């Protein structure tokens, strides 16, 4: 009888130990799959072996929730800010929407560009045309070299003139000429993209790696985006507004 009671007690303790082990394993699996569900809850075993859960707040075992129900969450503040911005934009007139300055007097992002910004983009495009000239001069010969090099020389002169004119407060007609130079740069970069695509697909090179044409395509896309950005924004509108 004593041995039977001892075996029964041992079996009971083993069963309780297995239940606790399985409970902790289950808790670990749940915490891995859903961390947010267990981040604010502490699981502790009771005297009977069952597991009780209570939310943690300040290290106490109180039943007070971690966040009061009347407290505004971060997502609610973001939604309220979005609704306010949409309401403000809907009440603006066409002149206010087209203005590079917002209602608080601050410059809108990419809404206008100054003289220095225009001179900088023309300076970069000028050296871009120098690079294209050097590549064409080294890789081409004969009549084809003249056909490619002469337009690049004219493009260099145009970008140089654009750099100088950008610093001299151009008028309305000069702005049109400068934007025409930017459009010419975009045309050249577009033709280069077509050429690189042709060399990648139709007539691949056995000497030049494909990565070189891919990198040149990315460079051309970058300069097209820059030229397009400066073509669309307003020039010297911030200074006039102030």
């Amino acid at each position: 009888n004593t041995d039977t009671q001892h075996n029964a007690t041992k079996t009971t303790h083993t069963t309780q130990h297995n239940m606790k082990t399985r409970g902790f394993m289950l808790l670990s699996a749940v915490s891995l799959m859903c961390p947010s569900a267990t981040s604010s809850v502490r699981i502790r075993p009771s005297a009977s072996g069952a597991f009780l859960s209570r939310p943690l707040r300040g290290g106490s075992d109180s039943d007070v929730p971690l966040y009061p129900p009347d407290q505004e969450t971060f997502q609610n503040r973001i939604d309220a800010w979005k609704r306010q911005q949409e309401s403000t934009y809907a009440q603006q007139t066409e002149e206010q929407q087209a203005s590079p300055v917002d209602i608080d007097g601050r410059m809108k992002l990419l809404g206008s560009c100054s003289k220095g910004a225009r001179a900088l983009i023309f300076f970069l495009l000028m050296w871009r045309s120098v690079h294209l000239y050097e590549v064409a001069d080294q890789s081409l010969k004969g009549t084809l070299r003249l056909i490619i090099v002469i337009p690049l020389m004219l493009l260099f002169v145009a970008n140089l003139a654009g750099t100088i004119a950008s610093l001299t407060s151009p008028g309305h007609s000069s702005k049109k000429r400068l934007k025409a130079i930017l459009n010419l740069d975009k045309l050249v970069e577009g033709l280069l993209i077509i050429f690189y695509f042709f060399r990648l697909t139709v007539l691949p090179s056995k000497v030049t790696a494909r990565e070189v044409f891919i990198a040149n395509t990315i460079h051309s896309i970058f300069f097209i985006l820059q030229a397009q950005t400066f073509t669309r924004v307003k020039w010297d509108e911030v200074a006039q507004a102030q």
Side-chain angles (χ1 to χ4, degrees):
N1 293 334
T2 304
D3 294 337
T4 304
Q5 293 178 357
H6 178 71
N7 293 332
T9 304
K10 185 177 180 180
T11 304
T12 303
H13 287 299
T14 303
T15 304
Q16 292 179 353
H17 178 72
N18 292 335
M19 292 178 59
K20 292 180 181 180
T21 304
R22 292 176 182 176
F24 282 113
M25 291 176 63
L26 179 62
L27 175 62
S28 301
V30 172
S31 63
L32 290 176
M33 293 187 297
C34 187
S36 60
T38 57
S39 59
S40 60
V41 177
R42 181 170 64 186
I43 308 297
R44 59 184 178 87
S46 64
S48 61
F51 291 91
L52 301 178
S53 63
R54 287 191 178 184
L56 296 178
R57 184 179 181 182
S60 63
D61 291 337
S62 62
D63 293 331
V64 181
L66 184 61
Y67 297 101
D70 56 343
Q71 183 178 359
E72 186 179 12
T73 62
F74 177 76
Q75 185 62 36
N76 292 337
R77 293 196 295 268
I78 292 296
D79 295 337
W81 178 81
K82 289 181 179 179
R83 290 192 296 268
Q84 181 183 3
Q85 294 296 321
E86 292 176 356
S87 177
T88 303
Y89 185 79
Q91 295 176 0
Q92 290 181 351
T93 61
E94 294 182 359
E95 295 180 355
Q96 292 175 342
Q97 293 179 4
S99 175
V101 182
D102 59 10
I103 57 177
D104 296 329
R106 297 171 298 187
M107 185 182 68
K108 297 178 181 178
L109 180 62
L110 295 179
S112 178
C113 63
S114 61
K115 300 178 184 178
R118 293 198 307 271
L120 178 61
I121 187 61
F122 278 109
F123 181 78
L124 294 177
L125 292 174
M126 180 181 66
W127 284 106
R128 171 67 172 174
S129 60
V130 171
H131 166 71
L132 296 177
Y133 171 83
E134 291 180 349
V135 172
D137 184 59
Q138 294 177 2
S139 58
L140 300 177
K141 296 180 180 180
T143 307
L144 182 61
R145 173 184 173 276
L146 293 176
I147 295 175
I148 301 299
V149 165
I150 291 177
L152 292 176
M153 292 178 59
L154 296 177
L155 182 63
F156 168 79
V157 175
N159 288 322
L160 178 61
T163 304
I164 298 174
S166 298
L167 299 174
T168 57
S169 299
H172 183 69
S173 58
S174 299
K175 291 180 181 179
K176 287 187 175 181
R177 297 191 188 98
L178 294 179
K179 291 186 178 182
I181 297 174
L182 292 176
N183 291 328
L184 183 60
D185 286 300
K186 290 189 292 183
L187 176 61
V188 172
E189 298 296 339
L191 294 176
L192 288 175
I193 291 177
I194 296 175
F195 172 74
Y196 297 144
F197 181 78
F198 180 79
R199 294 302 303 270
L200 282 171
T201 56
V202 180
L203 189 61
S205 176
K206 298 181 179 180
V207 179
T208 307
R210 294 171 57 89
E211 288 76 9
V212 175
F213 296 109
I214 295 174
N216 291 335
T217 302
I218 296 175
H219 296 161
S220 297
I221 292 175
F222 170 78
F223 283 105
I224 287 177
L225 292 177
Q226 294 299 316
Q228 178 66 17
T229 301
F230 279 86
T231 303
R232 297 296 300 273
V233 298
K234 297 181 180 299
W235 291 6
D236 295 333
E237 294 293 336
V238 176
Q240 295 178 3
Q242 294 176 349

